[in-house]
Amino acid sequence: MRSIERVGMPQGAESVANCFGDTAMTWGQGASGGGTLRPGEGGHLLTAYCRARGTRVRLAILNITINGCLLDLRSWSLRAGERVLIRLPGLTDLPAVLQWAEDGRGGLVFDQPLHEAVLRHLLHSSASRRGSLGEA
């Protein structure tokens, strides 16, 4: 039986929680900027640096929206409710909280949503990098 850790959901985080399920929206879908982009099977969108408890770790981002992201946590043990600073490519540290952790993945909710233009830039840059490497 899998255990799921969850903490209280911040206001406006519903689209983040929904995108972490088995079905995620594609970019441009969803209400009020809740769109997201997911990579192909087994891939990841971006890498980011996360800091918590005095430790800095590079993690793969599997899914991202303006409100938060899905992290691959297999290389780092964080627990639901922990506060982190996440540094997305080209941005400063963003405060966030780990909303849930399950099976080596975790849902991170940003304290302040990303601007939609910033998210589009991150996704476009990621797609350009993957395309230049010959990845799908």
Side-chain angles (χ1 to χ4, degrees):
M1 179 189 256
R2 297 185 304 183
S3 67
I4 300 175
E5 296 182 34
R6 295 185 191 269
V7 294
M9 187 167 297
Q11 184 178 17
E14 293 83 7
S15 62
V16 175
N18 291 339
C19 77
F20 294 145
D22 293 332
T23 59
M25 299 173 285
T26 58
W27 174 250
Q29 292 180 333
S32 65
T36 184
L37 179 71
R38 285 175 55 169
E41 255 339 276
H44 65 275
L45 287 176
L46 306 162
T47 56
Y49 288 96
C50 289
R51 281 192 294 156
R53 298 174 289 176
T55 303
R56 181 177 176 216
V57 176
R58 185 175 177 181
L59 296 174
I61 296 177
L62 305 172
N63 188 341
I64 189 167
T65 72
I66 60 170
N67 295 309
C69 59
L70 176 64
L71 298 173
D72 181 340
L73 293 177
R74 291 177 292 176
S75 63
W76 201 23
S77 62
L78 285 177
R79 296 169 50 98
E82 284 193 72
R83 305 249 349 127
V84 302
L85 290 174
I86 183 168
R87 180 168 291 188
L88 298 168
L91 300 178
T92 61
D93 288 344
L94 303 170
V97 64
L98 188 69
Q99 190 69 35
W100 61 269
E102 173 186 11
D103 295 336
R105 298 182 308 156
L108 194 68
V109 176
F110 306 134
D111 284 3
Q112 296 294 318
L114 295 175
H115 190 280
E116 289 182 34
V118 171
L119 179 60
R120 279 193 300 270
H121 175 74
L122 285 169
L123 296 174
H124 181 266
S125 297
S126 172
S128 295
R129 278 192 303 275
R130 287 186 315 211
S132 68
L133 297 174
E135 297 176 9

